[in-house]
Amino acid sequence: MDSTAHRPHLAELQVTELDLDGPDGAVLSFGPALPGGTPVRGGTVYTLVRLRGRPVATVVCRIPPGKDPADAVAATARAALAGREPPGRPGPVRSIRPDQGAGSGACDRRPEDGGPPAEGRGRADAERRRLTTTQHGGTSRARRATGECVPGHASPARSAGQDLAPGGRRTPRTSVVVATRERADQLARALDSLLAQDHPDFEVVVVDNAPATGATQDLVEHKYGERVRYVRESVPGLAIAHNRGVAVADGTVIAFTDDDVVADPHWLTALTAPFVADPGLGCTTGLILPARLRTPAQILLESHGGFAKGFEPREYDPAHPPAGEPLFPFTAGSFGSGANMAFRAAALREIGGFDPATGTGTPARGGDDLYAFVSVLAAGHRLRYTPDALVWHHHRETWQDLQNQAYGYGAGLTAYLTAVLARHPALLPALLRKLPRGLAHARTITAHRDAAGAAVPGDHGAQDYPWPRHLSRLERRGMLAGPIGYAKARLRVRGVPLPWDQRQKPRVET
């Protein structure tokens, strides 16, 4: 049957950003989420709401004809944030995932329980963010003259290998690893945003995975020079590429993102500062929002689950499993995603890095990030989700892309579970105890749903978004194929050592 027959007709949503002075405060800024976006004049918008710079919610709003867009979105945001604490007070980190829901009316609201804005961030932070996003890739004298640090330059304030970011937050020396393959145009956009980070001490490492051309190397060497390190990894696979990045990274913390994101200027600071405060922390993840919602495929992906995990900080401690998540730690998708994660370098190397038989570019199709999350927890380290660490992700645009992702999500899920059992057999009894509930959970998240018209993109957990039957079947087929794909991938990379283990030469079987 033609899969086009039941594709839902979804209108484009413009992605915007609103910054308020408080839950019921004045508008500090409003406009397209990314620099160079189309000015907002009307229609339906998907808006990230900030309170003095800190992300706190998203809303979907239909702007009435003749209404000022900023006023319309601000009214919706204020209604969604009613009762929220005023900005400037630190909020708790919770260990359970909050329930989420959607509102009603002309503007669908999606407030999520979350801590108030971080201390020390206000109008000046909003202005800094606006200015920084217009200066991607700049290593200007002006930035150094004002005391702002640039990649590769020493921070004016150092303490025991830690630097002070804007606002006085201590941050560790960090390596940012970006794995890529033949997407130089997208990579340039991502690198520009990474070089505009306000983190005072970091490096950027590009891992060119099994390249067919020299386009990526030319881009890095000719446009970015010494500001970005180029590394080649000939064996295909995202996990193997990430492991190559781990091998060359010099940071005490290693952050990972994708070549199809644009990072908020505060991303790296927010993602890595928790490692200074908590020596037992092994991993952090952050917020991922859609950069564009132009096509039905992009809207369906974001509605089905996307990458966002909400706006409330959460901490997962293997010594104190969260009572609200009975499948912990096997529902690793709730912890975060690979486009926005960081690890303490010692902890990541301790667990053996990423399983090379997982990830995009292998028969397993995915699961590399989920495997790493569970492995870090199994080793006794804590994991923290911090929504202040924001990246904007460019979802794939076509229906074929969405079909591939639906199958890949299913395959990656079961491939990662197979990898966990293969490499951590001690977890088998816990998995067997939780298997019946886990199967019920899998049926729920992959179920077919008709387009009810009430869905809000990214409203995870609401279970009222459209998910066509064809995509549901593909996702479930992927789940059946995942273990076989992992077995094939493991045979293919048998004999390939970790890049930081030079005791044997790699051997790849075909």
Side-chain angles (χ1 to χ4, degrees):
M1 184 177 65
D2 184 4
S3 64
T4 65
H6 300 288
R7 297 183 190 178
H9 299 285
L10 302 171
E12 174 183 353
L13 289 82
Q14 186 170 356
V15 180
T16 63
E17 197 173 38
L18 172 74
D19 199 358
L20 295 175
D21 194 35
D24 59 352
V27 174
L28 298 178
S29 64
F30 174 76
L34 298 182
T38 305
V40 184
R41 294 188 174 88
T44 304
V45 297
Y46 172 99
T47 302
L48 167 65
V49 181
R50 298 177 183 263
L51 293 184
R52 297 185 183 176
R54 181 173 181 179
V56 295
T58 55
V59 296
V60 174
C61 181
R62 188 179 307 109
I63 300 172
K67 181 77 171 180
D68 179 75
D71 290 343
V73 177
T76 303
R78 293 183 187 110
L81 299 176
R84 186 71 59 92
E85 293 182 35
R89 301 176 187 172
V93 176
R94 298 179 60 187
S95 61
I96 57 173
R97 189 179 182 185
D99 294 331
Q100 301 172 355
S104 59
C107 296
D108 292 320
R109 302 166 191 148
R110 194 168 76 86
E112 306 192 39
D113 296 333
E119 292 183 284
R121 296 178 64 189
R123 291 184 178 88
D125 181 74
E127 178 66 10
R128 175 201 54 75
R129 190 178 71 254
R130 182 187 67 80
L131 291 174
T132 307
T133 54
T134 65
Q135 298 173 354
H136 289 329
T139 313
S140 67
R141 293 179 181 174
R143 291 174 70 186
R144 263 178 254 163
T146 58
E148 181 180 352
C149 294
V150 296
H153 291 79
S155 166
R158 294 187 60 87
S159 174
Q162 301 160 9
D163 287 334
L164 292 179
R169 300 184 73 180
R170 294 197 179 279
T171 54
R173 166 68 177 173
T174 301
S175 299
V176 182
V177 174
V178 183
T180 187
R181 187 176 190 274
E182 302 301 335
R183 299 204 293 188
D185 290 343
Q186 293 190 63
L187 176 63
R189 179 177 59 200
L191 292 178
D192 287 347
S193 71
L194 293 176
L195 292 176
Q197 294 297 298
D198 65 10
H199 190 292
D201 185 20
F202 70 99
E203 65 167 354
V204 178
V205 178
V206 168
V207 181
D208 197 2
N209 189 211
T213 71
T216 298
Q217 185 173 3
D218 290 343
L219 170 73
V220 173
E221 293 180 351
H222 294 155
K223 180 176 180 180
Y224 299 101
E226 296 181 355
R227 293 181 295 160
V228 176
R229 296 171 63 191
Y230 173 88
V231 180
R232 180 186 177 114
E233 172 53 65
S234 298
V235 180
L238 181 58
I240 289 180
H242 279 167
N243 283 341
R244 175 62 60 187
V246 173
V248 303
D250 67 14
T252 58
V253 169
I254 306 175
F256 298 87
T257 191
D258 291 348
D259 60 6
D260 54 1
V261 309
V262 172
D264 181 82
H266 190 61
W267 166 69
L268 195 59
T269 294
L271 190 66
T272 61
F275 288 99
V276 176
D278 182 1
L281 189 64
C283 176
T284 59
T285 62
L287 177 65
I288 305 174
L289 293 180
R292 295 190 180 97
L293 292 172
R294 292 177 176 174
T295 70
Q298 291 175 323
I299 296 171
L300 277 176
L301 175 64
E302 186 62 25
S303 298
H304 183 58
F307 299 95
K309 309 302 176 186
F311 293 86
E312 178 173 326
R314 298 186 301 279
E315 185 173 278
Y316 299 91
D317 188 341
H320 305 283
E325 295 194 14
L327 296 177
F328 177 86
F330 300 109
T331 50
S334 65
F335 303 155
S337 299
N340 191 351
M341 61 183 181
F343 297 84
R344 194 178 301 276
L348 185 57
R349 294 186 178 110
E350 172 193 336
I351 66 169
F354 299 89
D355 187 328
T358 60
T360 305
T362 73
R365 304 290 291 267
D368 51 303
D369 49 351
L370 307 184
Y371 170 84
F373 298 155
V374 173
S375 296
V376 164
L377 289 167
H381 303 284
R382 286 183 287 276
L383 183 152
R384 180 176 298 185
Y385 170 72
T386 175
D388 284 2
L390 166 67
V391 299
W392 301 92
H393 183 265
H394 287 81
H395 296 348
R396 302 294 180 87
E397 297 183 356
T398 70
W399 188 258
Q400 184 60 54
D401 290 332
L402 182 60
Q403 292 182 114
N404 293 341
Q405 285 184 299
Y407 183 88
Y409 283 166
L413 173 63
T414 53
Y416 118 76
L417 288 171
T418 306
V420 166
L421 293 182
R423 302 202 182 263
H424 303 284
L427 292 176
L428 178 59
L431 180 61
L432 291 177
R433 287 196 304 270
K434 299 177 181 184
L435 185 60
R437 185 172 291 184
L439 291 174
H441 176 70
R443 285 195 298 268
T444 299
I445 64 175
T446 61
H448 155 69
R449 295 175 182 84
D450 292 317
V456 178
D459 191 12
H460 315 298
Q463 308 296 343
D464 64 351
Y465 48 79
W467 191 238
R469 191 180 305 277
H470 177 66
L471 296 178
S472 173
R473 289 172 176 168
L474 278 173
E475 195 168 12
R476 290 176 174 179
R477 288 174 190 167
M479 292 174 67
L480 294 174
I484 299 173
Y486 175 75
K488 290 180 178 179
R490 190 159 179 180
L491 285 174
R492 184 175 297 181
V493 300
R494 189 173 61 185
V496 177
L498 293 171
W500 54 88
D501 182 359
Q502 300 299 323
R503 290 173 296 180
Q504 55 181 321
K505 294 182 179 179
R507 176 171 60 88
V508 181
E509 295 190 0
T510 60

